Amino acid sequence: MSEIKFLYSALVFLCFTMIVLSNCAVISTIKLHGDLQEPMYIFIGFLCLNGLYGSVAFFPLFFINLLSKTQVISYSGCLIQVFCFHTYFGCELTILAVMAFDRYLSICNPLRYHSIMTLTTVFKLIGVAWFYVIILITIHVILTIRLPLCGSVIEKVYCDNWSVVNLSCIDTTVNNVYGLLITATIIGLMPGLILFSYVQILKTCVHSSKDFRGKALQTCTPHLVTMSYFVADILFEILLPRFPNTYLPIELRVLMSVQNFFIVPLLHPLIYGWTLKEIRVRLLKMLRARKCVDFQFNL
């Protein structure tokens, strides 16, 4: 990839800039408009915030490595990457699960929704979603730190726990078992809870009016698209190391391994910020107001 590294670097910088600007725009729109201080929009804001967290943890070092002759990271830096990336992946799924629960209450129990889903409850759910993942991943990283390493080459463009554990020269059964536990409790359980919520929503929609089904579809489809794409890419990342390095071209392996850092953080503002009318209208008003201020200032 080093033959056209400057082209790759320019594309990476452009993508990172787009991610930061688009996610910040959605977060700012939700924060500055009091009528958007509702559970659904707050969850969207935290989803965008998590996308920023994963992007900031990935892009700067990736950009530097593209321009460097040798791609090197310290052991402590590698472990920090492991923690950041795994918490990013985990929090993405737990927040999506909380959003599915919110949609279930809104559609299946509309009369009780506002009494149950208060702002206090919203922030408690977000706190639990983050705390749950942070605890699991912290234990995961601690189990990895105890391993002595017999190698220093990772066959990926970033550090993940599997790559570091594979460098160990002692038995890693405990790490492998705990890794399976995390896979079951996050990558298995969260999509399962999401699908369960949407099955209940589907049952409610079957017996509802056409307008009700249309509104439910409008709010639920972006959520399902994001979840499906994210889970599919994570499963690819889990299965990919099980195949020989020669099974797929290196360019395709790299492209597939970084999709969740490039595509998903851009999907959030595009899908939620543009598809949902409430956010789109206010975002456009903010942009027009900013243009008017700049024009008057230039005059």
Side-chain angles (χ1 to χ4, degrees), residues 1-35:
M1 297 178 66
S2 60
E3 295 177 359
I4 51 174
K5 62 181 181 181
F6 293 108
L7 174 61
Y8 286 126
S9 301
L11 292 174
V12 166
F13 181 78
L14 177 62
C15 186
F16 181 55
T17 303
M18 291 173 60
I19 288 172
V20 172
L21 292 178
S22 59
N23 281 277
C24 286
V26 173
I27 294 171
S28 300
T29 302
I30 294 171
K31 182 174 177 59
L32 294 175
H33 292 84
D35 55 343

Side-chain angles (χ1 to χ4, degrees), residues 37 47 58 62 99 105 117 121 148 160 169 188 203 219 226 236 282 285 299:
Q37 302 297 313
L47 204 59
F58 172 75
F62 184 57
M99 290 177 69
L105 285 179
M117 196 60 69
T121 303
D160 68 343
C169 44
K203 289 180 179 179
T219 58
T226 304
F236 178 86
R282 287 159 182 80
K285 285 182 179 179
L299 289 177

Side-chain angles (χ1 to χ4, degrees), residues 28-63:
S28 300
T29 302
I30 294 171
K31 182 174 177 59
L32 294 175
H33 292 84
D35 55 343
L36 294 181
Q37 302 297 313
E38 297 182 6
M40 181 176 70
Y41 304 116
I42 293 174
F43 289 134
I44 291 172
F46 276 98
L47 204 59
C48 291
L49 184 63
N50 189 61
L52 282 176
Y53 165 65
S55 299
V56 170
F58 172 75
F59 278 99
L61 185 61
F62 184 57
F63 180 78

Side-chain angles (χ1 to χ4, degrees), residues 26-27 30 36-51 91-92 94-106 113 117-130 223 268 272 276 279:
V26 173
I27 294 171
I30 294 171
L36 294 181
Q37 302 297 313
E38 297 182 6
M40 181 176 70
Y41 304 116
I42 293 174
F43 289 134
I44 291 172
F46 276 98
L47 204 59
C48 291
L49 184 63
N50 189 61
C91 288
E92 185 80 11
T94 53
I95 294 174
L96 287 172
V98 170
M99 290 177 69
F101 174 67
D102 173 68
R103 291 299 85 205
Y104 162 74
L105 285 179
S106 175
Y113 175 73
M117 196 60 69
T118 62
L119 288 180
T120 302
T121 303
V122 168
F123 287 108
K124 283 182 179 179
L125 288 172
I126 292 171
V128 170
W130 280 355
H223 189 195
H268 296 332
Y272 296 110
L276 296 179
I279 296 179

Side-chain angles (χ1 to χ4, degrees), residues 94-162:
T94 53
I95 294 174
L96 287 172
V98 170
M99 290 177 69
F101 174 67
D102 173 68
R103 291 299 85 205
Y104 162 74
L105 285 179
S106 175
I107 295 172
C108 299
N109 295 279
L111 298 179
R112 300 178 56 201
Y113 175 73
H114 291 289
S115 61
I116 297 175
M117 196 60 69
T118 62
L119 288 180
T120 302
T121 303
V122 168
F123 287 108
K124 283 182 179 179
L125 288 172
I126 292 171
V128 170
W130 280 355
F131 187 74
Y132 173 76
V133 173
I134 289 172
I135 292 298
L136 288 177
I137 301 304
T138 299
I139 297 173
H140 206 28
V141 174
I142 291 173
L143 290 175
T144 301
I145 292 175
R146 71 183 179 86
L147 299 174
L149 305 183
C150 297
S152 60
V153 178
I154 292 176
E155 298 294 336
K156 296 188 74 171
V157 296
Y158 63 87
C159 293
D160 68 343
N161 194 72
W162 174 268

